[in-house]
Amino acid sequence: MEIGERSESPVGSNKSKSKTPRKPPKDSVLKQKSPAEFFADNKNIAGFDNPGKCLYTTVRELVENALDSAESISELPVVEITIEEIGKSKFNSMIGLADHERIDAALYDDFETDKAREKRLAKEARIHETQAKNAALGKKVKESTPVKAVKGRGEASYYKVTCKDNGRGMPHDDIPNMFGRVLSGTKYGLKQTRGKFGLGAKMALIWSKMSTGLPIEISSSMIAQSYTSFCRLDIDIHRNIPHIHVHEKRENKEKWHGAEIQIVIEGNWTTYRSKILHYMRQMAVITPYAQFAFRFSSDSPDKNVAINFARRTDVMPPIPLETKYHPSAVDLLLIKRLIGETSKPNLLQFLQHEFVNISKAHAERLIGEMGSDFSAKMPVKSLTSQQIVRIQQLFRQAKFDDPSGDCLSPAGEYNLRLGIIKELHPDMVATYSGSAQVFEGHPFIVEAGVSIGGKDVKQGLNIFRFANRIPLLFEQGADVVTRTALKRINWCSYKINQTQDKIGVFVSIVSTKIPFKGTGKEYIGDDISEIASAVKTAIKQCCIQLKSKIVKRIQAREQQERKRNLSKYIPNVTGAIYDVLKEMSKVHASKKGRYDAKDVELLKKISSDTITKETLSEKLAQHVEQVDYEMALEYATQSGVNEEPRENFFIQSLEADDHKFTDFHSPVFVFRLCQ
């Protein structure tokens, strides 16, 4: 038999004929998921962990979209949020399902067996018997909580969430894709924004589809638009496309502009009530130029909540500007994308116009450093993969000026201070805004405020964190702000008691790229030295300002204490001195003693009752007042704290629309000149 020939046997031939080919296992079949399907399966990535968190995140996303929309047209935001609790019967009628009574009670999770009921009743009887004995013996009887029956998982709770704003509105034809297509949005450029994932209301719609099956309703109108766009839609999870029920134009009689979004979801108001209200309060702190109206309505009137967060100022931060990428912050994929999108024909113009901080002279030097394969006039579209790698390597090693913070829009010391005063009513507050710094080619600005005392503030450190003017409420322990405030600030050196004083620490970080840890975007890690250093500096600067105010307060308290101690002895001292002077005047009258002319004049006044105990007491009180003032002035001079007299000033009402104003901005105030 030659090599390569195959021997055949009758037995082997029969086996091969009778054996059927195996099918590949299901796990090896290649499958694909749409973005919508992926986020539906992994909804915790977007903050939709449980029904309570889903309700909180839905409110948060709708409010932040409303603020972005109003700020984009420099309109003072007016945001109305309503959460309406929907009972089981009403929800069933909304989806066209008839109410159904239980047929087999034992089938349900909260069913209590006869044996369990007897055990519960026996336990309740023993408790009552013990209470009766204690009452008979005269002992104090504590109120006992009733023994709970079998607790099941319970029925789902449903809520209708409505958010209305006075913002830009949405183009009629874009509404379906803006709400019904995941990872589509207007915030993907390099710009300071409240969100960038393209999820937001889309994730709330996915949760609505998963928990209730009901569509979302959107009403929108743009400025000077004669009609209102109305759209009712849900999302095709598997294809990641909107499923439109109604999309029509309606008459806009009120000339309203903005958006109103209504969605029905499963949620849990009871467990996340405090988080939602805390979020609204912090949002009112960081955006005092916005007006919020929050309502929660239920069938039980005692559960209803109505809170208005009034506007405190009409001064808004500037609109954040879209900027270009810094050379040190790009990778190969980004360079390739910029090459594909650029309108510049050659390499020189591409480097000069598609990146920040590369001038024409600098671009020519970079091209010369790349080697002989590169030239200033070479078409940028002709660059090979190897040449792109060379550009990226040079970008990582070359030196570039840091990007400026001109594209950022921090809240500003003025707004931060107003927000803290408006919501917390502290005894004293200090604010600080740092200069722009850079992390991995992205500029960032840290602002901070520290307050002492206030309404609804607990003893100790109360930390409020903001990123791109969004409150961060979860995962506080690992955040750079919390760790800095707890571990890196020596509060005692600033006359602040960390455990007993009511301390509010407010830190706001804005950047074109916030380095969140994790996909939930809930905290900023403590491992970024640039940000940690900037946060520490901002908080310390606030503490330095507060120290001078606290010293003044200590000075005033000590002054009052000195005055009180000296004034307490005035009656006794007055009586003793007057008795001595009276006795001396008698000795002088009997000519048994000799005194100086000055003393004689005083003794005559004592004898003639020109000087009495009352006049002496009054003179001593004046002396105490004068000595106390001189000591306080000397103390203030030595400590470097001096209080100049202040004059009253008056502020024009915001409602005065008849006047024209000119605003002069300062880090801590805005001076308005009425023309």
Side-chain angles (χ1 to χ4, degrees):
M1 183 184 299
E2 295 182 1
I3 296 176
E5 291 184 1
R6 182 178 58 184
S7 63
E8 296 182 1
S9 66
V11 178
S13 177
N14 291 336
K15 283 185 178 181
S16 62
K17 289 180 181 177
S18 61
K19 191 175 181 180
T20 57
R22 291 184 179 180
K23 293 182 178 179
K26 290 185 178 180
D27 293 343
S28 65
V29 177
L30 184 64
K31 296 180 180 180
Q32 289 183 338
K33 282 187 177 182
S34 71
E37 192 174 6
F38 171 81
F39 284 106
D41 293 340
N42 302 277
K43 58 184 181 297
N44 60 300
I45 291 177
F48 286 73
D49 301 56
N50 53 66
K53 186 78 176 293
C54 290
L55 180 62
Y56 162 80
T57 307
T58 298
V59 171
R60 167 180 167 170
E61 295 290 354
L62 295 181
V63 168
E64 290 164 10
N65 286 345
L67 290 173
D68 282 338
S69 178
E71 291 172 2
S72 67
I73 55 173
S74 299
E75 185 86 12
L76 290 170
V78 178
V79 184
E80 300 174 11
I81 311 100
T82 304
I83 303 176
E84 179 186 350
E85 188 175 23
I86 299 174
K88 179 182 176 182
S89 298
K90 185 176 180 181
F91 175 73
N92 287 344
S93 66
M94 292 173 67
I95 62 175
L97 180 66
D99 287 340
H100 177 71
E101 297 293 334
R102 293 185 177 184
I103 299 174
D104 185 357
L107 185 65
Y108 292 88
D109 188 45
D110 58 355
F111 174 72
E112 186 180 28
T113 62
D114 294 338
K115 186 176 180 180
R117 187 182 302 107
E118 291 176 5
K119 187 176 180 180
R120 176 172 58 85
L121 293 175
K123 187 175 181 179
E124 289 179 353
R126 287 195 301 271
I127 293 173
H128 291 312
E129 184 180 352
T130 304
Q131 288 179 341
K133 288 181 181 179
N134 291 337
L137 295 173
K139 295 181 180 180
K140 188 176 180 180
V141 180
K142 295 181 180 180
E143 286 190 22
S144 61
T145 56
V147 181
K148 294 182 180 180
V150 177
K151 185 178 179 181
R153 289 186 297 274
E155 296 179 353
S157 300
Y158 301 101
Y159 301 88
K160 181 193 290 183
V161 182
T162 305
C163 183
K164 185 177 182 180
D165 64 68
N166 61 335
R168 178 190 296 273
M170 293 166 280
H172 179 79
D173 296 333
D174 291 345
I175 292 177
N177 283 329
M178 294 180 78
F179 285 88
R181 191 184 297 273
V182 173
L183 301 183
S184 65
T186 59
K187 300 180 181 179
Y188 287 120
L190 190 63
K191 182 180 178 182
Q192 174 195 325
T193 58
R194 288 189 169 91
K196 284 188 178 180
F197 282 4
L199 292 174
K202 307 177 187 69
M203 194 64 222
L205 175 56
I206 290 175
W207 172 244
S208 174
K209 187 173 179 67
M210 295 173 67
S211 59
T212 69
L214 292 172
I216 190 173
E217 293 186 354
I218 306 107
S219 297
S220 174
S221 181
M222 303 185 74
I223 296 177
Q225 196 167 270
S226 60
Y227 62 87
T228 299
S229 301
F230 176 79
C231 189
R232 183 186 296 117
L233 60 87
D234 61 23
I235 186 171
D236 187 328
I237 298 290
H238 302 291
R239 298 166 61 195
N240 191 32
I241 60 173
H243 178 211
I244 301 172
H245 298 260
V246 179
H247 191 197
E248 61 186 15
K249 296 179 180 180
R250 298 178 176 178
E251 189 177 359
N252 186 12
K253 294 181 180 180
E254 300 177 355
K255 304 299 180 185
W256 164 72
H257 66 85
E260 182 175 5
I261 301 168
Q262 189 177 98
I263 190 169
V264 179
I265 59 171
E266 180 185 349
N268 191 328
W269 166 257
T270 305
T271 57
Y272 272 76
R273 176 184 185 274
S274 60
K275 285 291 185 184
I276 293 174
L277 296 180
H278 197 41
Y279 169 81
M280 294 304 306
R281 188 187 187 195
Q282 289 200 31
M283 187 58 83
V285 168
I286 201 66
T287 54
Y289 53 87
Q291 176 180 319
F292 299 98
F294 180 84
R295 302 286 182 273
F296 174 82
S297 61
S298 172
D299 293 336
S300 303
D302 57 324
K303 289 185 179 180
N304 291 351
V305 177
I307 303 177
N308 292 323
F309 299 92
R311 178 182 296 121
R312 180 63 187 266
T313 177
D314 60 355
V315 178
M316 295 177 61
I319 299 174
L321 303 175
E322 188 166 353
T323 186
K324 297 173 183 177
Y325 288 92
H326 192 267
S328 63
V330 297
D331 53 34
L332 290 174
L333 288 177
L334 183 55
I335 295 175
K336 289 180 180 179
R337 180 168 69 82
L338 293 176
I339 290 173
E341 295 175 354
T342 186
S343 60
K344 303 303 176 184
N346 57 55
L347 181 58
L348 178 65
Q349 293 178 341
F350 171 74
L351 296 178
Q352 186 179 348
H353 294 284
E354 296 296 338
F355 301 94
V356 295
N357 295 354
I358 297 183
S359 62
K360 182 177 180 181
H362 196 184
E364 290 174 346
R365 291 178 61 193
L366 289 171
I367 294 171
E369 184 65 23
M370 291 175 190
S372 58
D373 294 340
F374 295 84
S375 66
K377 299 298 183 181
M378 69 182 299
V380 69
K381 304 286 186 182
S382 67
L383 289 171
T384 65
S385 298
Q386 292 78 8
Q387 289 175 320
I388 294 175
V389 171
R390 177 69 183 119
I391 294 174
Q392 193 259 347
Q393 290 176 346
L394 182 59
F395 278 177
R396 292 186 63 178
Q397 298 172 1
K399 186 173 76 171
F400 300 93
D401 292 337
D402 290 336
S404 68
D406 297 341
C407 61
L408 301 178
S409 175
E413 281 192 68
Y414 175 73
N415 281 332
L416 183 59
R417 180 185 293 267
L418 279 182
I420 295 171
I421 293 172
K422 178 171 75 81
E423 295 302 322
L424 271 68
H425 304 284
D427 299 332
M428 58 180 70
V429 62
T431 55
Y432 173 80
S433 180
S435 57
Q437 300 188 47
V438 179
F439 165 68
E440 292 186 351
H442 294 275
F444 70 91
I445 293 176
V446 175
E447 299 174 296
V450 177
S451 65
I452 304 294
K455 183 179 69 173
D456 300 330
V457 182
K458 299 177 182 177
Q459 282 187 335
L461 291 175
N462 298 265
I463 298 175
F464 302 83
R465 303 169 294 134
F466 305 93
N468 279 352
R469 307 210 303 267
I470 298 176
L472 305 178
L473 270 63
F474 295 90
E475 301 184 50
Q476 178 170 304
D479 190 86
V480 62
V481 177
T482 304
R483 296 200 173 189
T484 300
L486 290 175
K487 298 180 180 180
R488 302 188 182 104
I489 302 297
N490 184 7
W491 297 96
C492 295
S493 63
Y494 303 103
K495 310 295 184 183
I496 299 173
N497 191 318
Q498 183 177 346
T499 56
Q500 295 183 1
D501 290 339
K502 297 179 178 180
I503 309 169
V505 180
F506 304 80
V507 176
S508 172
I509 302 174
V510 296
S511 177
T512 52
K513 182 181 180 181
I514 297 290
F516 289 111
K517 293 291 184 181
T519 55
K521 299 195 302 180
E522 294 293 351
Y523 76 101
I524 301 170
D526 191 35
D527 56 341
I528 303 171
S529 59
E530 295 91 342
I531 294 180
S533 175
V535 169
K536 180 181 178 181
T537 300
I539 296 176
K540 286 181 68 175
Q541 288 297 323
C542 294
C543 292
I544 291 171
Q545 296 177 43
L546 284 179
K547 184 178 180 180
S548 64
K549 298 180 181 180
I550 294 172
V551 167
K552 289 180 185 178
R553 177 178 287 186
I554 294 173
Q555 169 200 340
R557 189 162 53 239
E558 290 178 349
Q559 181 181 348
Q560 291 176 356
E561 187 69 22
R562 286 195 306 270
K563 186 176 179 181
R564 184 165 53 247
N565 290 336
L566 291 173
S567 300
K568 182 171 62 176
Y569 297 107
I570 286 178
N572 295 334
V573 173
T574 300
I577 294 176
Y578 187 78
D579 290 343
V580 170
L581 292 175
K582 196 74 174 175
E583 187 66 28
M584 289 174 66
S585 65
K586 290 179 181 179
V587 172
H588 176 70
S590 63
K591 298 183 179 180
K592 294 181 179 180
R594 295 182 179 180
Y595 300 98
D596 295 336
K598 188 193 303 182
D599 297 334
V600 170
E601 186 68 24
L602 176 63
L603 294 176
K604 287 182 179 180
K605 291 181 179 179
I606 293 291
S607 300
S608 62
D609 290 334
T610 305
I611 295 178
T612 62
K613 279 188 178 181
E614 289 73 19
T615 56
L616 188 59
S617 177
E618 183 180 345
K619 290 291 184 181
L620 280 173
Q622 292 176 0
H623 180 71
V624 166
E625 190 78 31
Q626 180 64 27
V627 169
D628 184 67
Y629 173 76
E630 290 175 356
M631 290 176 64
L633 187 61
E634 181 182 357
Y635 179 82
T637 304
Q638 292 175 353
S639 60
V641 179
N642 199 358
E643 189 73 30
E644 296 294 336
R646 296 181 179 178
E647 297 181 1
N648 294 332
F649 66 95
F650 304 92
I651 301 176
Q652 181 72 27
S653 171
L654 293 177
E655 284 74 20
D657 296 330
D658 299 336
H659 304 286
K660 295 181 179 179
F661 300 116
T662 301
D663 290 346
F664 299 92
H665 293 260
S666 168
V668 294
F669 70 90
V670 173
F671 179 76
R672 170 162 289 172
L673 179 63
C674 182
Q675 298 178 353

